[in-house]
C-alpha cells in the first residue's frame, strides 16, 4: 500500500493536468448511501419506479418521497477528508478539475472550485410550468411534491434515467478526459454511461488511470494502471501528505 501511495503521488506530480472522476463512494463517509450493493439506494427504491423521468412525470409525489429523503440527508451531510483532499490538491495546483456524478455539492462545499456536475445537482429546483429556479430548502420541500408560486410542480435540477446529460457539462468532461495526463477514478462502480466513458477516453489518450475504491470495478483490470484498494478518505489523505513531503 505504501508503495502504491508513493507511486500515485509521483504520478500526480509528474503528469499534469490531473483530473478526478468521482462517484457516490466518495460521499459514503459523509453518511450518504451509495446506489448499488447490499444497502444501496437502489435496493430500497426500484429505479424504474423512482429514478426515470417517466416515473417522475407520472407520479411526482411518489418520486419526491425518495428525493426528499435524499435532499434532507445531503443538506445535513458534511464533506469528508476525501472531498477536502481533492480541494487541497486543486489549491496546491495538482488537480485541474473534478468531474462528478454526485448531486450532493460536497466537492464545492469542501472548497473545490472547478467541478463539472455530470448528473446535475439537488441544490436547485426548477418549475415545470414557468421554469423559475428555486434554491432548495427544508421549508420548500415540506409538502411533496413541492410547488412554485405559479402552482407548477418543482423538479430537482438532476438527471433522471432516460434524460440527456447537461450538454456543456458533458462536452467539458469529454475534453478534460481527452486532455489529461492522469485521471483519478474515485468511489464509482463505473456502470453508468456516459460517465463510464471518461476513464476509457482518458486511457485512449494515454493518460494514467489511478483508481481508488474498496472494491474492484470493471475498470480495475482493463483500464486502470494503478488500483488502490481502500476508502477514499484514507487513501487521498495519504496521497496529499506524500505530495507535500515530496514538494520543496
Ligand atoms: P455506485 O453505488 O454504483 O458505486 C459506488 C462505488 O463506491 C462502489 O464501487 C463502491 O465500492 C465504492 N465505495 C464505497 N465506499 C467507498 C469509500 N469509502 N471510498 C471509496 N469508494 C467507496 O455509485 P456510482 O458509481 O456513483 O446516477 O453510480 C453512478 C450513477 O448511478 C449515479 O450517479 C446515479 C446512479 O444511478 C443517476 O441517478 C443518474
Amino acid at each position: 500500500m505504501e508503495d502504491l501511495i508513493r507511486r500515485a503521488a509521483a504520478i500526480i506530480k509528474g503528469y499534469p493536468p490531473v483530473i478526478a472522476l468521482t462517484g457516490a463512494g466518495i460521499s459514503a463517509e459523509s453518511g450518504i448511501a451509495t446506489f448499488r450493493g447490499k444497502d444501496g439506494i437502489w435496493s430500497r427504491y426500484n429505479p424504474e419506479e423512482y429514478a426515470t423521468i417517466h416515473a417522475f412525470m407520472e407520479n411526482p409525489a411518489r418520486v419526491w418521497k425518495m428525493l426528499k429523503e435524499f435532499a434532507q440527508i445531503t443538506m445535513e451531510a458534511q464533506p469528508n477528508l476525501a472531498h477536502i483532499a481533492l480541494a487541497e490538491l486543486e489549491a496546491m495546483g495538482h488537480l485541474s478539475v473534478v468531474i462528478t456524478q454526485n448531486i450532493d455539492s460536497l466537492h464545492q462545499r469542501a472548497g473545490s472550485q472547478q467541478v463539472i456536475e455530470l448528473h446535475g445537482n439537488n441544490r436547485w429546483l426548477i418549475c415545470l410550468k414557468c421554469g423559475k429556479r428555486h434554491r432548495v430548502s427544508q421549508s420548500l420541500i415540506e409538502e411533496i411534491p413541492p410547488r412554485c408560486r405559479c402552482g407548477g410542480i418543482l423538479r430537482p435540477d438532476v438527471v433522471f434515467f432516460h434524460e440527456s446529460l447537461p450538454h456543456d457539462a458533458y462536452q467539458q468532461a469529454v475534453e478534460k478526459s481527452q486532455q489529461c495526463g492522469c485521471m483519478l477514478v474515485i468511489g464509482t462502480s463505473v456502470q453508468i454511461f456516459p460517465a463510464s466513458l471518461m476513464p476509457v477516453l482518458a486511457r485512449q489518450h494515454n493518460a494514467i488511470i489511478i483508481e481508488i475504491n474498496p472494491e474492484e470495478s470493471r475498470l480495475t483490470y482493463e483500464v486502470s494502471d494503478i488500483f488502490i484498494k481502500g476508502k477514499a478518505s484514507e487513501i487521498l489523505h495519504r496521497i496529499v501528505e506524500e505530495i507535500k513531503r515530496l514538494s520543496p
Side-chain angles (χ1 to χ4, degrees):
M1 169 75 84
E2 204 47 56
D3 180 50
L4 289 176
I5 302 277
R6 271 200 293 270
R7 278 172 61 196
I11 290 166
I12 290 169
K13 281 200 75 181
Y15 289 82
V18 178
I19 70 175
L21 173 71
T22 66
I26 197 165
S27 296
E29 292 165 81
S30 294
I32 302 177
T34 59
F35 291 96
R36 297 171 181 82
K38 197 165 63 66
D39 301 318
I41 292 172
W42 298 151
S43 68
R44 291 194 295 126
Y45 292 104
N46 175 357
E48 283 303 318
E49 283 174 50
Y50 286 91
T52 69
I53 184 61
H54 313 292
F56 183 80
M57 297 313 271
E58 196 181 280
N59 192 341
R62 180 179 59 198
V63 174
W64 260 109
K65 179 173 170 279
M66 178 192 77
L67 294 172
K68 181 173 175 175
E69 179 187 315
F70 200 74
Q72 283 171 330
I73 292 168
T74 55
M75 274 190 260
E76 282 159 22
Q78 297 300 325
N80 65 53
L81 281 179
H83 302 103
I84 292 166
L86 290 185
E88 220 179 330
L89 276 181
E90 183 185 339
M92 291 159 75
H94 292 305
L95 184 73
S96 65
V97 70
V98 177
I99 303 170
T100 189
Q101 299 164 84
N102 300 345
I103 59 171
D104 57 27
S105 311
L106 289 180
H107 287 300
Q108 292 92 329
R109 285 177 49 204
S112 287
Q113 306 284 325
Q114 300 299 323
V115 181
I116 298 173
E117 294 175 313
L118 277 183
H119 294 166
N121 67 76
N122 66 359
R123 295 186 297 281
W124 292 97
L125 309 183
I126 303 165
C127 176
L128 291 176
K129 199 165 153 196
C130 71
K132 186 171 179 339
R133 290 167 70 82
H134 300 254
R135 183 111 200 170
V136 75
S137 66
Q138 290 283 3
S139 57
L140 194 57
I141 58 173
E142 200 62 49
E143 300 289 326
I144 52 172
R147 288 185 183 270
C148 183
R149 283 223 182 92
C150 78
I153 289 174
L154 299 177
R155 63 160 290 170
D157 191 9
V158 301
V159 176
F160 286 107
F161 283 118
H162 306 156
E163 282 192 303
S164 315
L165 265 50
H167 179 262
D168 288 357
Y170 172 71
Q171 282 301 333
Q172 286 170 21
V174 167
E175 277 167 30
K176 299 287 180 190
S177 300
Q178 289 173 335
Q179 291 162 2
C180 69
C182 166
M183 179 186 275
L184 309 174
V185 181
I186 307 159
T188 174
S189 63
V190 217
Q191 292 191 42
I192 294 297
F193 183 85
S196 57
L197 183 66
M198 304 305 155
V200 178
L201 278 179
R203 192 73 187 81
Q204 281 171 351
H205 287 75
N206 300 320
I208 300 182
I209 311 296
I210 301 175
E211 186 183 5
I212 300 169
N213 199 311
E215 309 283 338
E216 285 145 20
S217 77
R218 54 179 59 183
L219 286 188
T220 307
Y221 299 106
E222 305 285 330
V223 177
S224 300
D225 295 284
I226 297 185
F227 173 64
I228 311 184
K229 194 177 173 74
K231 292 184 174 179
S233 59
E234 187 206 333
I235 306 292
L236 284 170
H237 176 70
R238 287 174 66 181
I239 289 175
V240 170
E241 289 305 303
E242 178 62 15
I243 290 177
K244 284 182 187 163
R245 199 183 64 78
L246 292 174
S247 301

